């Protein structure tokens, strides 16, 4: 094949690699910022010149043929090196710039991160942030995210993780609820209360506590709880607790504002809930030799903004 023809196909080969990574024409086109029709046309042109089928399509899915997979495998490293080299050159500019795709949990983002992102964008006007609010653990590299904010006990070993701040679980209720139903004196008392809980895999919900001031006489205790409302979102649990519906177990970042205002009060302050939510919030990204300047600047900004944590 003539060198001129091969050079003209470089973009086509890159698009094939992105198609392999994203798994659909729609997702690949969105990642590249082009139309689905343009994406399909480039792959068809590549197949025509190669004189072999590279992608097998069905109404519901697609997969690369042996020839298509070989092309992707043989060129992937080169395209990744080009991307890294260009990113390094671009970062020689004085100011961070470009698009940052970030994914973060719904409650944490809405209550704590969005104001920090807004302040960051004022300081770095050449940066754009595209925020995905999701509690689902995304495959960062596959789905094209530059950064994930997560509260987790252990970040993936294959990723780079920066600890942003500590976080803890808190047990809360309204003063009106405590006044009507009484204040629990120890974890076992929760069995007589309406407990608003996050549904987990076990059949019977249970909360685990340990004393904040450990002693030989007091050890970790797990208490089965029950209640007429459960939700897989801490904001929903907080709002239910605000109506006086019961006692809720929340991450501190969800209850911080209401605790400061006195709209909610801590329950069993001498006991620390454990195992419900992770105790550290991280910024996470897939490992790469080079961290883009915009990513590094955003992580620095978040660490400074969250340094104090969410205590009251």
């Amino acid at each position: 094949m003539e060198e001129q023809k091969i050079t003209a196909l470089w973009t086509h080969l890159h698009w094939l690699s992105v198609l392999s990574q994203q798994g659909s024409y729609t997702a690949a086109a969105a990642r590249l910022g082009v139309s689905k029709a343009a994406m399909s046309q480039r792959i068809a042109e590549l197949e025509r010149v190669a004189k072999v089928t590279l992608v097998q399509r069905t109404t519901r899915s697609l997969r690369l043929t042996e020839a298509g997979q070989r092309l992707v495998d043989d060129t992937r490293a080169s395209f990744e090196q080009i991307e890294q080299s260009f990113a390094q050159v671009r970062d020689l500019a004085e100011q961070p710039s470009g698009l940052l795709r970030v994914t973060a949990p719904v409650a944490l983002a809405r209550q704590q991160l969005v104001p920090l992102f807004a302040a960051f964008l004022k300081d770095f006007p050449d940066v754009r942030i595209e925020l995905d609010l999701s509690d689902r653990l995304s495959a960062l590299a596959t789905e094209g995210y530059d950064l994930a904010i997560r509260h987790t006990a252990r970040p993936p070993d294959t990723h780079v993780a920066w600890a942003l701040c500590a976080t803890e679980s808190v047990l809360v209720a309204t003063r009106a609820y405590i006044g009507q139903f009484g204040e629990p004196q120890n974890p076992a008392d929760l069995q007589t209360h309406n407990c608003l809980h996050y549904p987990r895999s076990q059949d019977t919900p249970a909360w685990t506590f340990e004393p904040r001031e450990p002693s030989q006489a007091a050890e970790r205790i797990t208490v089965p709880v029950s209640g007429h409302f459960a939700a897989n979102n801490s904001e929903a649990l907080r709002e239910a607790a605000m109506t006086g519906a019961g006692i809720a177990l929340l991450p501190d970042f969800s209850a911080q504002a209401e605790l400061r205002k006195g709209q909610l009060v801590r329950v069993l302050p001498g006991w620390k809930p454990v195992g419900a939510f992770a105790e550290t919030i991280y910024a996470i990204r897939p490992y790469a030799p080079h961290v883009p300047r915009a990513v590094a600047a955003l992580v620095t900004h978040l660490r400074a903004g969250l340094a104090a944590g969410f205590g009251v």
Side-chain angles (χ1 to χ4, degrees), residues 6-64:
I6 295 176
T7 302
L9 294 173
W10 284 356
T11 301
H12 298 63
L13 290 169
H14 175 56
W15 286 24
L16 178 66
S17 179
V18 174
L19 178 62
S20 172
Q21 184 183 67
Q22 298 296 317
S24 75
Y25 279 93
T26 300
R31 178 66 176 143
L32 291 166
V34 299
S35 68
K36 182 180 177 181
M39 186 80 203
S40 182
Q41 181 181 357
R42 286 292 178 93
I43 300 303
E45 290 174 356
L46 186 59
E47 289 180 323
R48 187 165 54 251
V49 175
K51 299 179 180 179
V52 64
T53 300
L54 302 174
V55 180
Q56 290 186 339
R57 311 160 182 82
T58 68
T59 55
R60 295 184 177 180
S61 63
L62 65 82
R63 70 177 183 86
L64 268 60

Side-chain angles (χ1 to χ4, degrees), residues 142-158:
T142 301
E143 299 185 31
Y145 293 110
D146 299 292
L147 200 65
I149 312 300
R150 287 287 179 260
H151 46 117
T152 180
R154 183 176 181 180
D157 293 336
T158 56

